[in-house]
Amino acid sequence: MLEVCELKKSFARKPVLKGVSFQVKAGETVVLMGPSGCGKSTTIRCINLLLNPDGGRIIFKGQDLSQVPQREVFLIRQEMGFVFQRFNLVSRLTARENVMLALLYRGVEREKALEMAEGALEEMGLHTGYELKPAQLSGGEQQRVALARALVMEPELILLDEPTASLDPILVKEVLEAIEKLSQEKRRGVLLVTHEVALARRIADRIILMDCGRIVEEGPPARVFESPRSWVGQRYQEISQYH
Ligand SMILES: Nc1ncnc2c1ncn2[C@@H]1O[C@H](COP(=O)(O)OP(=O)(O)OP(=O)(O)O)[C@@H](O)[C@H]1O
Ligand SMILES: [Mg+2]
């Protein structure tokens, strides 16, 4: 479904991605981990076309994304849900309206959009507060609205970049449960950046470890966390002993 080949990106001549290659298959949950600054967000931002790579290719559902004309970028984005560290909800709209927005934009009839939005919010564990604006919701609730907003479009691939990083630890659990739930959908590919070792262990089909713009290790969570081969893997192994 997603194939990243030799991806390269520099900022002001400083190489940040030095040839990153991996795949995400339909139904697979891949967790990308690594130290701060190693290039995880840059990788995600190249995939959803927020950044132009300097080299390499990204193939999504058979299409080379570098060949997509600017006017068709939004069509690709409709098939890729994404959720970032900061919730990016529209502050003047209610939770329900935030989730409905893209559906209405896509041409879904209002009644139907309302029903779908409530279904997605409920699936993410939100049963009330649909009329509240983002500022009236807790961080965990806001992030679950953002997850519902991505999911309601039924994307084939969902990109999550540290979705729990700006949350109070007490609120993290409810968001982790929501993420675990969305990773269980059989057809969808999930690419998740997180530092949550316990979550990665539970939901990942495959862990990819990055360091300084390169992939340094890749494999199933049990192997990567229990007998790591890379320096980064060994650091995560130490952390995972606390979980
Ligand atoms: N727009 C930009 N302009 C210049 N440098 C950038 C830009 N975006 C990222 N960088 C640099 O690229 C490097 C990788 O950043 P990136 O955000 O991909 O790291 P990350 O692995 O996601 O880290 P974190 O875990 O802290 O989120 C960093 O050194 C960062 O300063
Ligand atoms: Mg990042």
Side-chain angles (χ1 to χ4, degrees), residues 11 14 16 35-42 162 195:
F11 291 110
K14 178 186 148 205
V16 167
S36 181
C38 72
K40 304 177 298 294
S41 296
T42 306
E162 296 200 49
H195 296 291

mmCIF file of all heavy atoms in Angstrom, residues 11 14 16 35-42 162 195, ligand 1:
data_model
loop_
_atom_site.group_PDB
_atom_site.id
_atom_site.type_symbol
_atom_site.label_atom_id
_atom_site.label_comp_id
_atom_site.label_asym_id
_atom_site.label_seq_id
_atom_site.Cartn_x
_atom_site.Cartn_y
_atom_site.Cartn_z
ATOM 1 N N PHE A 11 17.599 20.041 5.132
ATOM 2 C CA PHE A 11 17.158 21.405 5.441
ATOM 3 C C PHE A 11 18.403 22.257 5.505
ATOM 4 O O PHE A 11 19.324 21.933 6.271
ATOM 5 C CB PHE A 11 16.418 21.461 6.776
ATOM 6 C CG PHE A 11 15.080 20.774 6.766
ATOM 7 C CD1 PHE A 11 14.875 19.597 7.466
ATOM 8 C CD2 PHE A 11 14.016 21.307 6.035
ATOM 9 C CE1 PHE A 11 13.635 18.975 7.453
ATOM 10 C CE2 PHE A 11 12.777 20.675 6.026
ATOM 11 C CZ PHE A 11 12.590 19.515 6.729
ATOM 12 N N LYS A 14 21.605 20.618 5.509
ATOM 13 C CA LYS A 14 21.852 19.613 6.549
ATOM 14 C C LYS A 14 20.986 18.385 6.231
ATOM 15 O O LYS A 14 19.748 18.479 6.240
ATOM 16 C CB LYS A 14 21.455 20.196 7.901
ATOM 17 C CG LYS A 14 21.631 19.233 9.046
ATOM 18 C CD LYS A 14 21.080 19.843 10.339
ATOM 19 C CE LYS A 14 20.522 18.777 11.236
ATOM 20 N NZ LYS A 14 19.526 19.230 12.160
ATOM 21 N N VAL A 16 18.771 15.392 6.677
ATOM 22 C CA VAL A 16 17.928 14.934 7.791
ATOM 23 C C VAL A 16 17.441 13.518 7.514
ATOM 24 O O VAL A 16 17.369 12.689 8.411
ATOM 25 C CB VAL A 16 16.756 15.917 8.001
ATOM 26 C CG1 VAL A 16 15.701 15.332 8.916
ATOM 27 C CG2 VAL A 16 17.277 17.227 8.580
ATOM 28 N N PRO A 35 15.396 8.484 18.472
ATOM 29 C CA PRO A 35 15.641 9.682 19.282
ATOM 30 C C PRO A 35 15.112 10.957 18.637
ATOM 31 O O PRO A 35 14.949 11.019 17.411
ATOM 32 C CB PRO A 35 17.165 9.745 19.394
ATOM 33 C CG PRO A 35 17.706 8.545 18.736
ATOM 34 C CD PRO A 35 16.621 7.818 18.048
ATOM 35 N N SER A 36 14.881 11.940 19.456
ATOM 36 C CA SER A 36 14.404 13.237 18.980
ATOM 37 C C SER A 36 15.351 13.792 17.911
ATOM 38 O O SER A 36 16.570 13.730 18.071
ATOM 39 C CB SER A 36 14.362 14.173 20.184
ATOM 40 O OG SER A 36 13.888 15.406 19.783
ATOM 41 N N GLY A 37 14.773 14.262 16.813
ATOM 42 C CA GLY A 37 15.585 14.855 15.757
ATOM 43 C C GLY A 37 16.096 13.869 14.718
ATOM 44 O O GLY A 37 16.777 14.257 13.781
ATOM 45 N N CYS A 38 15.727 12.568 14.849
ATOM 46 C CA CYS A 38 16.278 11.571 13.914
ATOM 47 C C CYS A 38 15.566 11.580 12.559
ATOM 48 O O CYS A 38 16.024 10.942 11.618
ATOM 49 C CB CYS A 38 16.252 10.178 14.526
ATOM 50 S SG CYS A 38 14.605 9.476 14.657
ATOM 51 N N GLY A 39 14.441 12.282 12.464
ATOM 52 C CA GLY A 39 13.785 12.420 11.158
ATOM 53 C C GLY A 39 12.434 11.741 11.026
ATOM 54 O O GLY A 39 11.904 11.609 9.920
ATOM 55 N N LYS A 40 11.817 11.384 12.152
ATOM 56 C CA LYS A 40 10.532 10.688 12.084
ATOM 57 C C LYS A 40 9.437 11.575 11.511
ATOM 58 O O LYS A 40 8.728 11.189 10.579
ATOM 59 C CB LYS A 40 10.121 10.201 13.490
ATOM 60 C CG LYS A 40 11.155 9.326 14.156
ATOM 61 C CD LYS A 40 10.754 8.929 15.567
ATOM 62 C CE LYS A 40 10.577 10.059 16.556
ATOM 63 N NZ LYS A 40 11.819 10.795 16.898
ATOM 64 N N SER A 41 9.298 12.791 12.065
ATOM 65 C CA SER A 41 8.243 13.692 11.572
ATOM 66 C C SER A 41 8.509 14.084 10.128
ATOM 67 O O SER A 41 7.569 14.208 9.334
ATOM 68 C CB SER A 41 8.161 14.957 12.428
ATOM 69 O OG SER A 41 7.790 14.614 13.734
ATOM 70 N N THR A 42 9.779 14.275 9.794
ATOM 71 C CA THR A 42 10.107 14.641 8.413
ATOM 72 C C THR A 42 9.648 13.524 7.464
ATOM 73 O O THR A 42 9.086 13.797 6.399
ATOM 74 C CB THR A 42 11.626 14.903 8.291
ATOM 75 O OG1 THR A 42 11.980 15.883 9.269
ATOM 76 C CG2 THR A 42 12.004 15.385 6.910
ATOM 77 N N GLU A 162 3.241 11.096 17.001
ATOM 78 C CA GLU A 162 3.240 11.321 18.447
ATOM 79 C C GLU A 162 1.898 11.855 18.953
ATOM 80 O O GLU A 162 1.841 12.937 19.546
ATOM 81 C CB GLU A 162 4.370 12.281 18.835
ATOM 82 C CG GLU A 162 5.738 11.675 18.531
ATOM 83 C CD GLU A 162 6.832 12.342 19.323
ATOM 84 O OE1 GLU A 162 6.660 12.479 20.543
ATOM 85 O OE2 GLU A 162 7.843 12.721 18.729
ATOM 86 N N HIS A 195 6.742 7.291 21.337
ATOM 87 C CA HIS A 195 7.774 6.844 22.275
ATOM 88 C C HIS A 195 7.180 5.887 23.307
ATOM 89 O O HIS A 195 7.853 5.490 24.248
ATOM 90 C CB HIS A 195 8.408 8.050 22.994
ATOM 91 C CG HIS A 195 9.149 8.966 22.064
ATOM 92 N ND1 HIS A 195 10.321 8.600 21.450
ATOM 93 C CD2 HIS A 195 8.871 10.209 21.614
ATOM 94 C CE1 HIS A 195 10.744 9.594 20.669
ATOM 95 N NE2 HIS A 195 9.870 10.581 20.757
HETATM 96 N N1 LIG B 1 11.315 22.954 8.393
HETATM 97 C C1 LIG B 1 12.526 22.687 8.881
HETATM 98 N N2 LIG B 1 13.555 23.547 8.676
HETATM 99 C C2 LIG B 1 14.799 23.265 9.143
HETATM 100 N N3 LIG B 1 15.099 22.162 9.862
HETATM 101 C C3 LIG B 1 14.116 21.295 10.101
HETATM 102 C C4 LIG B 1 12.791 21.506 9.629
HETATM 103 N N4 LIG B 1 12.028 20.455 10.023
HETATM 104 C C5 LIG B 1 12.842 19.630 10.703
HETATM 105 N N5 LIG B 1 14.101 20.129 10.750
HETATM 106 C C6 LIG B 1 15.257 19.482 11.404
HETATM 107 O O1 LIG B 1 15.332 18.159 10.955
HETATM 108 C C7 LIG B 1 15.712 17.271 12.007
HETATM 109 C C8 LIG B 1 14.686 16.149 12.118
HETATM 110 O O2 LIG B 1 13.453 16.701 12.560
HETATM 111 P P1 LIG B 1 12.171 15.817 12.780
HETATM 112 O O3 LIG B 1 11.094 16.755 13.173
HETATM 113 O O4 LIG B 1 11.921 14.945 11.601
HETATM 114 O O5 LIG B 1 12.621 14.911 14.021
HETATM 115 P P2 LIG B 1 11.805 13.859 14.857
HETATM 116 O O6 LIG B 1 12.500 12.539 14.705
HETATM 117 O O7 LIG B 1 10.379 13.898 14.496
HETATM 118 O O8 LIG B 1 12.043 14.354 16.360
HETATM 119 P P3 LIG B 1 11.013 14.442 17.631
HETATM 120 O O9 LIG B 1 11.019 13.085 18.257
HETATM 121 O O10 LIG B 1 11.649 15.439 18.529
HETATM 122 O O11 LIG B 1 9.689 14.867 17.114
HETATM 123 C C9 LIG B 1 15.842 18.135 13.246
HETATM 124 O O12 LIG B 1 17.197 18.392 13.440
HETATM 125 C C10 LIG B 1 15.087 19.397 12.908
HETATM 126 O O13 LIG B 1 15.654 20.504 13.535
#
